[in-house]
Amino acid sequence: MASKRVLLLCGDFMEDYEAMVPFQALQAFGVAVDAVCPGKKANDVCRTAVHVLSGAQTYTETVGHNFALNATFDEVNAASYDGLLLPGGRAPEYLAHIPSVVELVTKFVSLGKQIASICHGQLILAAASGVVKGRKCTAFPPVKPVLIAAGAHWVEPETMATTVVDGNLITAATYDGHPELIHHFVKALGGTISGPDRKVLFICGDYMEDYEVKVPFQSLQALGCHVDAVCPSKKAGDTCPTAIHDFEGDQTYSEKPGHAFPLTATFGNVDPSSYDALVIPGGRAPEYLALNESVIAMVKHFFENKKPVASICHGQQILSAAGVLKGRKCTAYPAVKLNVVLSGATWLEPDPISRCFTDGNLVTGAAWPGHPEFISQLITLLGIQVSF
């Protein structure tokens, strides 16, 4: 049983990353996370929003994943939690006007619980009387006037990754700040991160699955890993468009446009021998990356040197093409079973879809609902521990 328990306060059209990244990262680190929304109960869904700064005077918005709640708002007892997480997006605009929400947040603060809030989430803090008064905090810049009016000491975000810690209050400007915000939150909950410094490489491609790159990428950064993302024919600072794959009652997943994912290194300049592990996200990108000889050579390097490799969903199409699965036990998204079996691997049924498996240096998962297991198994291979 998890020794720490955190509440994630959700609402319709909260920012997609700002809900799922901390939700799954904390679970991967051994923290129990309950996600609730006023007027909804466990197993209900919140719609999410994809917010991207793309050169206009403000962010663009498209519809994100459906986020499944795992607890019921009306049954929440603040005293039974160690911390509170407030995602941003548009949800806080209306959540800040719901008396039961404001009362709950005020209760967490009065009990001295750890609070982490991001982007527009600080609107809820401002609505709770006295919560931010005299406290240093940041937020997405348009939230500045409200925070100042509520008596906060505004800290201008130098970048969209800016994070501010003031006692038990941790605030960040946008999801770019997730690694630092989650790192501080884990420590505030009494967590200790131990293990060697690690470098991890992600092989990316256009229309990789949005969660399947961002959640493990930022989770590893939160643990202090140096993480690089590369894509063939692209360089550091370029972006890859992502795909949102969701389960909405059809015979297969639906697809919507996701965030633009920024690359941190140039594919042609990367020396795989300088990295300790490899991560391969799923989505549609692996279909064409599996045809790239340089990608195949890079994957083979990690297997030949027995370095940890973590691949999820359709990522195993690349492993199959590289001929590294023969004699292995692994899973994948069920539609990829043919690739896995024909490559000489033993198929492990992902039941439930969140099930992940480790076979030697290889971690495989079926889809993004399995991220907590996927990340946990990878950091075990990396020798990293989070203890409370």
Side-chain angles (χ1 to χ4, degrees), residues 243-263:
I244 288 172
H245 287 169
D246 217 341
F247 309 97
E248 300 181 294
D250 303 301
Q251 291 185 342
T252 189
Y253 53 85
S254 62
E255 179 169 308
K256 298 185 283 282
H259 298 78
F261 185 86
L263 303 171

Side-chain angles (χ1 to χ4, degrees), residues 171-192:
T171 54
T174 70
Y175 52 72
D176 288 345
H178 275 151
E180 190 174 354
L181 179 133
I182 294 169
H183 182 85
H184 284 302
F185 195 51
V186 167
K187 288 194 168 183
L189 293 171
T192 301

Side-chain angles (χ1 to χ4, degrees), residues 321-333:
V324 296
L325 290 181
K326 188 174 183 179
R328 294 282 190 156
K329 297 177 181 178
C330 65
T331 193
Y333 188 67

